[in-house]
Amino acid sequence: CDTAKIPTPYFEVLSEIYAKENVGVMITLRELIRWCRRSSLLCSRNLSESLWLEVGRSILVPQNPSYAQQQLDNVFETLSEGSSDDRRNVCKVEQSGANVRFTFGKLSFTKPGKLSNSPLFHRGIPPHSFVKHLVLLAFAFEQQEPVLLIGPTCMKTLLVKTLCEIIGRNDLNQVFLTPETEASDIVGEVHAFSYSDYQDSILNAIQQLQRLLPSLGNDFNQRADEVTRI
């Protein structure tokens, strides 16, 4: 935290948040590390107390349940000596020359890209809720923070695809998971095989294929017989 040049008096923020009985938020060591790191990267040249609070708000508010978000917002506003700023709830994605600017409250950064690369932005500005979560995802991506999007079917995949389209990343790997998906299907696995093991695995694959082919027609059955003879 020393390298992030955190204003020492503002560590009182933590005790103030914990002191609010109805907020119901826990600050873990992971959040503290992210808070310090983001402050160092986003505000390295001019880290004021208000910007440090804004960085904390960008981390703590979005990841908490909706009932606690407004209360957290009020806590951060109080800790900012009651200074109300119209930019506090601003989340924007806009073109700035050859770059795209992502803005969350008083914080912003630019990244090379084009909004027109995304069909969503090409047709206009998406709903505010989508833009807000896109900005939060972009902030985490810019700081190289791991992100886990959870929840029912909604816009999780679309968020990631849209961000990649905007910043021109074509190396997105999309894997569809089912209840039968195992870890080895994603990360792979290593087995020690002998020559006889290879033969057995090939024969097992042929037998499985034979069980499936009858439902696919006579042509497939003839090919199965040829494979078996080989």
Side-chain angles (χ1 to χ4, degrees), residues 80-215:
S80 300
E81 299 179 353
S83 59
S84 180
D85 194 324
D86 293 337
R87 295 177 296 172
R88 192 163 61 98
N89 295 315
V90 171
C91 288
K92 293 191 300 183
V93 181
E94 53 191 353
Q95 194 71 42
S96 177
N99 299 322
V100 176
R101 180 177 295 277
F102 298 90
T103 303
F104 181 88
K106 303 175 185 177
L107 305 174
S108 67
F109 73 93
T110 59
K111 200 167 185 65
K114 290 184 178 180
L115 287 179
S116 57
N117 290 341
S118 169
L120 280 178
F121 284 89
H122 186 71
R123 293 193 295 263
I125 301 177
H128 179 266
S129 175
F130 184 88
V131 173
K132 175 183 177 182
H133 288 88
L134 181 64
V135 169
L136 294 172
L137 178 62
F139 266 79
F141 179 82
E142 179 66 11
Q143 312 308 319
Q144 299 182 356
E145 298 172 358
V147 177
L148 176 63
L149 303 176
I150 59 175
T153 301
C154 51
M155 57 183 178
K156 301 186 294 296
T157 303
L158 184 59
L159 274 172
V160 178
K161 292 179 65 175
T162 301
L163 180 60
C164 290
E165 291 167 350
I166 290 175
I167 63 177
R169 291 290 296 265
N170 300 318
D171 54 350
L172 174 64
N173 294 322
Q174 188 170 348
V175 180
F176 293 95
L177 307 180
T178 67
E180 290 76 28
T181 303
E182 297 182 358
S184 59
D185 298 327
I186 302 174
V187 300
E189 55 186 347
V190 178
H191 292 283
F193 277 113
S194 65
Y195 181 74
S196 59
D197 291 332
Y198 276 117
Q199 286 183 319
D200 292 339
S201 63
I202 292 174
L203 290 175
N204 289 334
I206 291 174
Q207 291 173 356
Q208 293 178 7
L209 186 61
Q210 284 180 315
R211 288 195 292 268
L212 294 174
L213 287 179
S215 62

Side-chain angles (χ1 to χ4, degrees), residues 4-21:
K5 298 180 181 178
I6 302 300
T8 303
Y10 266 70
F11 277 107
E12 297 175 2
V13 168
L14 307 179
S15 60
E16 290 286 344
I17 293 176
Y18 278 122
K20 302 294 182 180
E21 297 180 357

Side-chain angles (χ1 to χ4, degrees), residues 33-100:
I33 293 174
R34 290 175 62 196
W35 195 335
C36 294
R37 190 170 183 275
R38 278 198 186 186
S39 298
S40 177
L41 295 174
L42 291 173
C43 317
S44 57
R45 296 182 179 178
N46 184 24
L47 178 59
S48 64
E49 294 173 345
S50 61
L51 285 179
W52 184 68
L53 286 170
E54 189 71 5
V55 171
R57 194 175 73 86
S58 72
I59 294 173
L60 296 180
V61 172
Q63 71 181 23
N64 279 280
S66 56
Y67 67 83
Q69 290 184 4
Q70 185 59 50
Q71 294 171 316
L72 270 173
D73 259 335
N74 295 335
V75 171
F76 277 105
E77 184 177 353
T78 302
L79 293 170
S80 300
E81 299 179 353
S83 59
S84 180
D85 194 324
D86 293 337
R87 295 177 296 172
R88 192 163 61 98
N89 295 315
V90 171
C91 288
K92 293 191 300 183
V93 181
E94 53 191 353
Q95 194 71 42
S96 177
N99 299 322
V100 176

